[in-house]
Amino acid sequence: MRGTRPEGMNGDGTLRTARAIVWARRRAAMASFWRMYRAQRGGMFGLGLLLIITLITLLAPYYTDESELRASNAPGGRMEPPSSEFWFGTDQTGRSILLMVIWGARVSLQVGIVAAVLAVTMGTLIGMSAAHFGGWISWVLMRLTDWFIVLPSLVLAIALVMALGPSRTTIIIAIALTSWAGTARLVRAQTMAIEGRPYLERAKALGAGHWHQMSRHVLPNLMPLVLASATLQVSSAILSEASLSFLGLGDPSRFSWGTILQRAFLSGAISSGAWWYMLPPGLAILLVVLAFTLCGRAMETVLNPRLRGGK
């Protein structure tokens, strides 16, 4: 009939169902990923542990009093051992170690996650650009990557923090700048493999520009590798933050797990036998690193057909 459109067509003459089909495929892919991820016991344990730690950290203002972190408001005595009132004991000023660990998690997790995201983003962009453009651009980017890989990351991070001044922002920048190179190498190799596939050759023949090729074809196929790399990178970033803070280069105005360890060391907790001052932040770092590592390995197993087929 006149004035009617074929079913599934909109006013522009394009199929209305195209977007629905795309989203249906994405939902199916996410459902398949979750089904395979649930089969990974280590990954589920790590995910559950991360959820518990995240809830404890985010809800801290609702069940703790941050003012007790100030030395003038310390509720306990000096170096009290664990008790029913102070589960993890107190520090040299009478502050609760448990309260310090809970609030320190907010800083350590924030630094680790933000630094890991920045590092993976830098590595992905540099690796994609090096593989896609080739020529002198690839040579310059790869030589820069090799330079950062060869340099000791902790020494370079210490130099950057000392030059910029100790703060949470400078620690994030220092960790990101010293940990992107490995991701760039991985992304470059994967991008070169993707760009050799027939569908990308067809896109080039049809006149697709660089941005279209990289954003619509290359990046979606890189995302599994990028996500797994980001999850594993968080563990490394948290350890780097703890190392810098332990060396006295952390944010002096905020508690972090590394800062707690540094203060415990300076107060003589080891020589005085105050094991409760050193152990809780160390165990917190261990648990978070273990959780992110388990999640990252599980994601890598699910997203890598070779590893999945070997199980």
Side-chain angles (χ1 to χ4, degrees), residues 8-40:
M9 304 289 287
N10 61 16
D12 296 330
T14 58
L15 287 172
R16 288 181 302 179
T17 57
R19 188 178 297 275
I21 291 174
V22 170
W23 281 105
R25 289 176 177 175
R26 290 177 180 175
R27 287 193 296 268
M30 290 299 296
S32 176
F33 168 81
W34 176 241
R35 185 174 60 255
M36 290 185 289
Y37 186 91
R38 284 187 302 176
Q40 306 292 324

Side-chain angles (χ1 to χ4, degrees), residues 265-303:
F265 179 78
L266 293 179
S267 65
I270 298 177
S271 58
S272 62
W275 55 268
W276 58 88
Y277 201 170
M278 302 286 291
L279 190 59
L283 287 178
I285 294 172
L286 176 63
L287 288 176
V288 170
V289 169
L290 175 63
F292 275 107
T293 302
L294 289 175
C295 290
R297 295 302 182 189
M299 290 179 63
E300 189 177 12
T301 301
V302 170
L303 299 172

Side-chain angles (χ1 to χ4, degrees), residues 21 24 30 89 113 127 146 148 150 155 171 196 226 241 245 263 307:
I21 291 174
M30 290 299 296
I113 293 173
D146 293 339
F148 273 94
V150 171
V155 175
I171 288 179
V226 171
E241 186 278 332
S245 297
R263 296 187 181 192
L307 294 178

Side-chain angles (χ1 to χ4, degrees), residues 193-244:
I194 293 171
E195 294 204 341
R197 296 174 182 175
Y199 66 85
L200 197 56
E201 295 293 334
R202 288 196 298 268
K204 293 178 182 178
L206 291 173
H210 295 298
W211 174 254
H212 181 87
Q213 295 175 40
M214 297 175 72
S215 62
R216 299 295 297 275
H217 299 287
V218 177
L219 186 58
N221 287 280
L222 284 175
M223 285 310 295
L225 175 66
V226 171
L227 289 175
S229 178
T231 307
L232 295 172
Q233 192 70 43
V234 174
S235 303
S236 176
I238 291 175
L239 288 173
S240 297
E241 186 278 332
S243 300
L244 292 172

Side-chain angles (χ1 to χ4, degrees), residues 26 79 96-97 169 190 210 234:
R26 290 177 180 175
M79 291 289 192
S96 170
I97 303 296
T169 302
Q190 186 68 13
H210 295 298
V234 174

Side-chain angles (χ1 to χ4, degrees), residues 251-263:
D251 187 351
S253 63
R254 304 287 292 180
F255 278 102
S256 72
W257 291 334
T259 303
I260 299 173
L261 290 173
Q262 189 240 1
R263 296 187 181 192

